[in-house]
Amino acid sequence: MAGIKALVVLSFSGAIGLTFLMLGCALEGYGVYWPLFVLIFHVISPIPHFIAKRVTEDSDASSSACQELAYFFTTGIVVSAFGLPVILARISVIKWGACGLVLAGNAVIFITIQGFFLAFGRGDDFSW
Amino acid sequence: MAGFLDNFRWPECECIDWSERRNAVASVVAGVLFFTGWWIMIDAAVVYPKPEQMNHAFHTCGVFSTLAFFMINAVSNAQVRGDSYESGCLGRTGARVWLFIGFMLMFGSLIASMWILFGAYVTQNTNVYPGLAVFFQNALIFFSTLIYKFGRTEELWG
């Protein structure tokens, strides 16, 4: 267990990421809340990893086809979270400034999620 | 003059052991390419919603490319060689036929996207962006398939 310090740092960076996202929606010049849909991508991004962990009982091998497919889909979810704001800005549903803030928030939140896996992922038993 | 680059070696970086992570890197790169291709197409469909600008039938190429991606990557190289313990539901010959059909679909979609780009856009003097989007979607899915299929080694599977 990596401890309290990692938890505090990760929660701080998560809050910063969410702040960027909310700024992209709520600032005076923007005012539309469509960018909040990227939260769906944030929530589902760890799921392929957990499914692959659950399905693969044999942990001797350094990799497996299922784990690689999980990496593939996780990467896809991350790319989609970056693609959605760009498309919204391209058709002027949101402004480009809002798009920039949402992309920055995405980057911070995904780094936070990856940080969670690095700090707390080793040796946990994934009992639901 | 011949062979003057034979003794060239890339600068060594020993900090990370790339051999263990080769499969993960290949999967991530393939994921980036595949989904970037799809988002390019989604972008074109959203920015050019009218059928005169981009005929909705052009989505077919991307769908068949995606189907071909999953067909090609559903069989492992061990199955095709006949090396694995259980023979799978189709056996070795079935795996080869499946892979063959998958590659045919992939190449067919790629050629179709090129045809669409040149036949429906470049020669017609209209805005060429939707045609480029169709082509890039299929080209990126094609390269993603190659990287996912041949960039990973099955020795890491134990």
Side-chain angles (χ1 to χ4, degrees), chain A residues 8-20 105 108-109 112-113 116:
Chain A
V8 171
V9 167
L10 287 172
S11 64
F12 179 69
S13 68
I16 294 289
L18 287 172
T19 304
F20 277 129
V108 173
I109 290 178
T112 306
I113 294 176
F116 260 106

Side-chain angles (χ1 to χ4, degrees), chain A residues 41 58 60-73 75-77 79-81 83-88 90-91, chain B residues 20 23-24 27-32 34-36 39 42-44 46-48 69-70 129 144 148 152-153 155-158:
Chain A
F41 292 118
D58 169 28
D60 287 349
S62 53
S63 183
S64 74
C66 205
Q67 198 176 40
E68 290 156 17
L69 196 62
Y71 283 144
F72 177 81
F73 281 119
T75 314
I77 292 170
V79 167
S80 300
L84 180 65
V86 169
I87 289 195
L88 289 178
R90 287 258 290 158
I91 47 171
Chain B
E20 287 274 315
N23 285 11
S27 308
V28 167
V29 170
V32 169
F34 183 90
F35 284 95
T36 304
W39 277 97
I42 293 174
D43 176 76
V46 157
V47 173
Y48 299 96
F69 176 95
F70 288 109
Y129 180 79
S144 164
Y148 199 72
R152 302 178 299 151
T153 169
E155 290 166 15
L156 291 180
W157 293 355

Side-chain angles (χ1 to χ4, degrees), chain A residues 90-112:
Chain A
R90 287 258 290 158
I91 47 171
S92 307
V93 166
I94 65 175
K95 297 206 180 64
W96 282 102
C99 172
L101 281 169
V102 174
L103 293 180
N106 273 346
V108 173
I109 290 178
F110 280 122
I111 290 174
T112 306

Side-chain angles (χ1 to χ4, degrees), chain B residues 15-155:
Chain B
C15 41
I16 307 173
D17 180 15
W18 288 112
S19 57
E20 287 274 315
R21 291 168 167 261
R22 174 182 159 175
N23 285 11
V25 170
S27 308
V28 167
V29 170
V32 169
L33 291 176
F34 183 90
F35 284 95
T36 304
W38 267 103
W39 277 97
I40 289 176
M41 192 60 182
I42 293 174
D43 176 76
V46 157
V47 173
Y48 299 96
K50 300 201 202 72
E52 301 85 43
Q53 295 164 318
M54 186 174 80
N55 192 335
H56 297 163
F58 297 155
H59 287 281
T60 317
C61 294
V63 170
F64 273 101
S65 280
T66 304
L67 178 67
F69 176 95
F70 288 109
M71 280 181 75
I72 289 170
N73 286 303
V75 293
S76 63
N77 290 326
Q79 296 250 346
V80 173
R81 283 195 302 263
D83 281 354
S84 59
Y85 293 115
E86 73 260 8
S87 61
C89 52
L90 295 176
R92 189 179 67 172
T93 310
R96 290 176 174 176
V97 170
W98 182 268
L99 197 63
F100 177 75
I101 294 176
F103 270 111
M104 291 265 288
L105 284 177
M106 180 60 75
F107 284 119
S109 304
L110 188 63
I111 293 170
S113 70
M114 289 182 194
W115 196 328
I116 287 172
L117 169 62
F118 286 104
Y121 289 95
V122 170
T123 55
Q124 307 292 345
N125 264 333
T126 63
N127 183 7
V128 83
Y129 180 79
L132 281 176
V134 174
F135 170 67
F136 275 115
Q137 179 199 22
N138 287 279
L140 285 172
I141 294 177
F142 173 70
F143 287 120
S144 164
T145 309
L146 289 184
I147 290 178
Y148 199 72
K149 179 81 185 148
F150 299 115
R152 302 178 299 151
T153 169
E154 295 179 7
E155 290 166 15

